[in-house]
Amino acid sequence: MSNPQQLRYSKEHEWVSVAEDGVSTVGITEFAANALGDVVYAQLPEVGDTVTAGETCGELESTKSVSDLYAPVDGEVTEINEDVVNDPSLVNSAPFEGGWLFKVRVSEEPKDLLSADEYSEFSGS
């Protein structure tokens, strides 16, 4: 399992891209996707919602369990991935590409996000 170096990671197993024009993309890690099992439903925040780092902003339901989705940054949701809403299995098959969850205009990035190497050590992945 390889965690892309250009991303930052939360200890709740979400990833966030470096902001481009103030907007970052958010998803869950391959480690989290594998732990969840086959994702069958995604409840994502709505466009315009304000999310706060470390707080619940949605949930993912799998054949094994339901897991809360946590925001890795503070900001306003600008887009959700409709492809994941329509085909939640994308979270499993492409967690770092087509399985992204939402985009957020970042107002503040927490200082405790992990690098890829730090996340790999934290998760054992």
Side-chain angles (χ1 to χ4, degrees), residues 29-75:
T29 64
E30 186 175 0
F31 175 84
N34 289 339
L36 271 173
D38 295 333
V39 177
V40 295
Y41 176 75
Q43 178 198 343
L44 304 177
E46 295 184 20
V47 171
D49 284 356
T50 299
V51 295
T52 303
E55 292 189 7
T56 303
C57 64
E59 66 182 30
L60 297 174
E61 183 177 328
S62 73
T63 54
K64 291 182 182 179
S65 67
V66 175
S67 179
D68 286 334
L69 175 64
Y70 295 91
V73 294
D74 295 349

Side-chain angles (χ1 to χ4, degrees), residues 84-117:
V84 165
V85 173
N86 295 326
D87 182 7
S89 70
L90 288 170
V91 170
N92 298 105
S93 63
F96 295 114
E97 294 88 25
W100 61 274
L101 301 175
F102 62 94
K103 294 188 179 188
V104 60
R105 182 166 308 285
V106 178
S107 59
E108 187 169 338
E109 186 175 305
K111 307 290 183 245
D112 61 349
L113 290 176
L114 307 173
S115 69
D117 293 338

